[in-house]
Amino acid sequence: MKKIKLLALCAIVAGFATSCQKDEIANETAPEVSIELSDDHKAGLLAAGITAEASYKTIELLDGSVGKYIVADDVRLPIDLFESGEFRLGTTEDGNKQYRTNNLISSGNRTIDILGFTGSCCALTSNMRTGLQWAVNNYNRINSTLNFRLTFGTNFQAADMVVYNNGASGAGGQAEFPSGGRPGKFIQINAGTGTFGGSNVNNVNEHVIGHEIGHAVGFRHTDYARRRCGGANEGGGGVGAIHIPGTPTVNQWGASGLDSDSLMISCFDGSEDGEFSNFDVVALEFLY
């Protein structure tokens, strides 16, 4: 039986891929428009514990609505909610963090109808569908109050969370944090994920999709300082994500206790098994 883990992802760099990769949306959806962030929004991102490169993007979603977002790695923040302060994160005394947002799913919204999209524009591939099923099974095995009910189809309006193929090149994905007590709804999976990892492709898809679901229920990256994967520190000093009791801490100097097997690590290389680490389970059971 599969063991239980909870990891993270981001872009293809020197042989490593990240679930948080920012590729263009495919032709099936409207093109994204990207301009430089204002100084106020840059300051707001820092207050939210995010210092990774970010930009504005206008994205057409499956429901035909056009949303304006600030996008940083594999996380999309709606600009209106961002400006309201909803995504500002708490602090810790010593800067040690292992990462959740202030935005969690309220007790009345923890039965989550999750849809694997099969419509003509953005259908999940067979490998993506397998990865989604395995990822949902992992979450449902955990002793938590979250209960995922998975279906495949096109009725995304009725779903609490929708996983779909955005047609973008490269392996990885993108998700939203919870908002208003509900999970982040739209999870995009890059088309390249469907074939990444060779014979291990289903586990890679399980990993990427499980990682993005993790963001949608409120998790940040475990390697907050990018100690393992490199790249920009996602937020410095005592500002940013909230440490989850019972899990290792790692500060901006990479000083202590990184759970390198976590599903929420910010990169992947194709060898992943898609399972939660022991500390991922601790974190999930503590929060929910």
Side-chain angles (χ1 to χ4, degrees):
M1 178 177 293
K2 286 177 163 290
K3 61 173 181 164
I4 298 179
K5 298 184 178 175
L6 159 53
L7 313 169
L9 330 163
C10 260
I12 295 178
V13 179
F16 276 78
T18 80
S19 277
C20 311
Q21 189 168 327
K22 298 179 294 181
D23 289 294
E24 281 76 29
I25 301 301
N27 294 333
E28 290 85 1
T29 58
E32 299 175 357
V33 179
S34 177
I35 58 177
E36 185 178 357
L37 263 63
S38 69
D39 289 342
D40 285 346
H41 285 164
K42 289 177 182 177
L45 280 176
L46 180 61
I50 300 172
T51 61
E53 181 181 353
S55 61
Y56 299 117
K57 292 188 184 293
T58 300
I59 303 173
E60 181 177 347
L61 300 175
L62 287 175
D63 59 5
S65 65
V66 177
K68 295 181 179 180
Y69 296 88
I70 295 174
V71 176
D73 277 343
D74 61 340
V75 174
R76 298 194 307 269
L77 305 175
I79 288 179
D80 55 345
L81 295 178
F82 178 79
E83 291 180 339
S84 75
E86 181 169 350
F87 294 107
R88 289 180 179 269
L89 306 178
T91 63
T92 62
E93 294 180 359
D94 59 4
N96 289 337
K97 305 173 176 68
Q98 165 136 348
Y99 311 115
R100 73 165 178 89
T101 69
N102 270 339
N103 295 44
L104 297 177
I105 302 171
S106 63
S107 59
N109 294 315
R110 293 181 182 175
T111 293
I112 299 169
D113 288 313
I114 181 169
L115 178 76
F117 192 71
T118 61
S120 59
C121 81
C122 311
L124 297 177
T125 67
S126 175
N127 291 333
M128 291 176 181
R129 290 179 59 157
T130 297
L132 173 57
Q133 180 68 71
W134 290 2
V136 166
N137 291 347
N138 289 341
Y139 278 91
N140 283 340
R141 289 189 189 107
I142 301 296
N143 182 25
S144 79
T145 56
L146 295 178
N147 176 36
F148 288 85
R149 300 189 299 201
L150 174 62
T151 58
F152 292 92
T154 60
N155 187 17
F156 59 85
Q157 296 92 338
D160 301 304
M161 193 179 290
V162 182
V163 183
Y164 68 98
N165 181 352
N166 67 8
S169 61
Q174 196 176 87
E176 300 168 332
F177 289 141
S179 176
R182 304 188 68 84
K185 179 161 184 173
F186 291 105
I187 295 177
Q188 300 182 22
I189 303 301
N190 293 358
T193 312
T195 56
F196 191 82
S199 61
N200 196 43
V201 63
N202 287 331
N203 283 326
V204 170
N205 279 265
E206 176 188 17
H207 174 94
V208 172
I209 294 171
H211 173 95
E212 299 306 339
I213 291 173
H215 285 314
V217 302
F219 285 101
R220 296 288 303 276
H221 288 143
T222 303
D223 59 329
Y224 170 81
R226 295 302 173 88
R227 176 183 171 194
R228 168 178 157 178
C229 300
N233 187 313
E234 293 181 0
V239 180
I242 302 167
H243 173 246
I244 300 171
T247 65
T249 58
V250 54
N251 62 29
Q252 61 180 334
W253 302 280
S256 64
L258 176 65
D259 178 15
S260 61
D261 200 29
S262 171
L263 187 69
M264 297 309 295
I265 290 291
S266 62
C267 60
F268 61 100
D269 63 6
S271 64
E272 288 71 23
D273 62 9
E275 307 303 319
F276 292 138
S277 73
N278 291 335
F279 285 117
D280 290 334
V281 176
V282 169
L284 195 61
E285 290 180 348
F286 179 86
L287 295 184
Y288 295 109

